[in-house]
Amino acid sequence: MINKRLTRSGDNVWIAGVCAGIADYFGFDKDATRIAWLLLTLFTAAFPGFILYVALWMLMPKEGNYPQS
């Protein structure tokens, strides 16, 4: 069994690697994830999406910086 962790992308980054990390974790297309996040953020009063992105930026460890178990 592969132990997959939710981490920010280290090499496929536009702003902080949050969308790329989410796309990697769930097996989605990275560009489609970014576009969906942008559209949801813009069409839902922008503020909640921006706050969630910043929160994930601070909470998600960067790829390769996660302690091994």
Side-chain angles (χ1 to χ4, degrees), residues 1 5 7-9 13 17 19 22-23 30 35 38 41-43 46-47 50 52-54 58 61-62 66 69:
M1 182 177 176
R5 300 188 188 267
T7 58
R8 291 184 293 127
S9 179
V13 178
C19 288
I22 291 170
K30 291 173 183 68
I35 291 169
L38 177 67
T41 299
L42 291 176
F43 291 115
F47 193 67
F50 176 75
L52 182 59
Y53 191 90
V54 171
M58 292 187 300
K62 192 167 186 174
Y66 204 94
S69 54

Side-chain angles (χ1 to χ4, degrees), residues 1-55:
M1 182 177 176
I2 297 174
N3 193 5
K4 198 172 190 182
R5 300 188 188 267
L6 181 60
T7 58
R8 291 184 293 127
S9 179
D11 59 346
N12 195 344
V13 178
W14 278 12
I15 298 174
V18 173
C19 288
I22 291 170
D24 284 339
Y25 185 77
F26 290 108
F28 299 149
D29 179 59
K30 291 173 183 68
D31 291 330
T33 303
R34 290 178 178 125
I35 291 169
W37 188 279
L38 177 67
L39 291 175
L40 285 171
T41 299
L42 291 176
F43 291 115
T44 57
F47 193 67
F50 176 75
I51 295 296
L52 182 59
Y53 191 90
V54 171

